[in-house]
Amino acid sequence: MSTLIVFLPAHAGAAELHYVLSGDGHAALRHGSAAAALLPAPGRAGEVVAVVPVRALSWQRVELPRGVRANGPAPRVRAVLEGLLEERLLDEPQSLHFALAPGAQAGAPAWVAVCDRTWLQGALQRLEAAGRTVTRIVPEFAPDAAPPVLHALGTPEDPLLVALGHGPAGDLLALPLSAASLALATSAADAGTEPVPLLAEPAVAALAEQLAGRPVQLHTSTERWLAAARSPWDLAQFDLASSGRRRVTKRAGALLGELLRAPQWRAARWGAGLLVAAQLVGLNAWAWKERSALDTRQARVNAVLTQTFPSVRVVVDAPIQMERELALLRQATGSASGGLESLLAAVGSALPEGRSPRGLEFAGDELRLRGLGLEASEAAALTERLRAQGIAAHSDDDVLVLKAGVSP
C-alpha cells in the first residue's frame, strides 16, 4: 500500500507542492513537486500524509488538569487548552489550531503543537479539492527526548537550524543558521565531550560545515519527510479530527500496509508465516489420521457384510445392504423380523385362551396392549411366561406394557 507525503507550503499561494511517494513508508518511489491536481494518486488503499513545516508550528508544554482526558469530548479539551495557553500566545486562541502529543495523560506534562487554523484548513481544503484527501497530519519536527541532534535545512539565502532533544523534555529549537545559533544549540544540548550529530540538506551542507568547523552528514528533505510520516503524531484533532468512516478505513489500511511491508516487521511476518504453515501442516496431518481411521472402520464394516453374506460382491452402503440381506433371510426362514413382530408373536402365544387386545400402540421398543381384561392372577402368570421368553411385562391399569431385551 502506497503513501503520498505532501509538504504543506508555508505560503498559501504556492503554485506547486513538494511530495514523496513511498510504497512502504521507508523508501521513496518518486519525489518532486507538482500542482495539487497533478500529485500522484496513492491508490484506493493508500493514504495521504500532510507534513506541517517546522516554521509553521510553535510548541508549548502544559499539564492537563486532573479529570481531563486527552481523548475526551473535543470542545471541553480544547477549552482547557485555550485556558492554559491564553497568556503564552500572541494570537487569539480562537484563530489557532491545537494538537496534543500522543499518549498525553491528565496530571502529567505534555507537548501541544500550535499553528494558524486558517492556513492549515486552507491547505487541507486545497488537497481535498484535488482529490487527495489527507488521512493524517504530522509535524516536520516534533520535540523528542532522544539524544540531541541538529538539522540544517532550507536554502543558502534562508538557512535554518533545528535542534532536537535539548533538555530533559526534549525541547525543539528553530533558529537561523549561524555560528552563534550553532554554539547556542550545542551548549544547550549538554552532550558532554561527544559532538552533537549535525545533519544537513545538500543545499546548505557547505555553509553548515563552514560555520560548525566540522563535517556534516547529508540528510535530504525526502528522508526527513519519510521519517516525519512514520512518527506517532497526528495533528488532525478537535475540529480537524478524523471525520467519518473513510479516514478511519484509510488509517487502518495504512497500519496494515506498514505491518506487511515495513522492514522492522520482517521478523514478525516470517514468524506469522511459519506459524500459519505449521498450523496447515498440523491440520493436514490430523485430517489424514482421522481419514485413515475412518477408512479402517469402513473396511471392517464391509468385511463383516461380505463375510456374513458371501453373495454380496459389491459393497455400496454396508448398513443398508446388510438390512436388506437380513430381511431376505427372514423371509426365507419365516422368522420374525424382531421388534414389533417379535413382541406380538410372544404375547400371542402367552395370552390366555379367548383374550385379545382392543388396541395396541408401539413406540420405540415398547408395545402397549389395551383392553385385555386380565385378572390379577392371569396378569401375573402372563408376565412370568413373557419373562421366560426374554420380554419384560407389567400392567398399568388396563394396559399391558411389553419390552424386549430382558434376560429370562
Side-chain angles (χ1 to χ4, degrees), residues 14 21 62 65 87 114 136 144 148 159 209 227 233 299 310-311 340 384 391:
L21 183 65
V62 301
E87 301 298 328
V114 184
R136 197 159 50 97
D144 191 353
E209 283 189 352
W233 274 88
S311 60
L340 177 61
E384 289 300 323
I391 297 174

Side-chain angles (χ1 to χ4, degrees), residues 359 361 367-374 393-402:
E361 178 184 346
L367 175 63
R368 292 172 172 266
L369 303 176
R370 295 185 178 86
L372 290 174
L374 297 174
H394 68 275
S395 296
D396 185 3
D397 293 333
D398 194 28
V399 178
L400 181 65
V401 182
L402 299 90

Side-chain angles (χ1 to χ4, degrees), residues 16-38:
E16 294 188 338
L17 304 174
H18 294 284
Y19 72 87
V20 178
L21 183 65
S22 173
D24 58 3
H26 293 262
L29 299 175
R30 293 168 54 187
H31 64 90
S33 60
L38 300 179

Side-chain angles (χ1 to χ4, degrees), residues 102-140:
Q105 300 290 332
W111 285 106
V112 179
V114 184
C115 69
D116 184 86
R117 180 192 292 182
T118 303
W119 166 81
L120 182 57
Q121 288 178 335
L124 297 178
Q125 289 170 1
R126 180 181 177 185
L127 291 171
E128 179 79 27
R132 307 295 186 270
T133 302
V134 174
T135 308
R136 197 159 50 97
I137 308 170
V138 298
E140 185 178 19

Side-chain angles (χ1 to χ4, degrees), residues 333-373:
T333 59
S335 62
S337 60
L340 177 61
E341 296 179 9
S342 298
L343 292 175
L344 288 175
V347 76
S349 63
L351 278 173
E353 186 70 24
R355 299 299 179 94
S356 61
R358 292 196 296 270
L360 61 85
E361 178 184 346
F362 182 73
D365 58 352
E366 190 175 85
L367 175 63
R368 292 172 172 266
L369 303 176
R370 295 185 178 86
L372 290 174

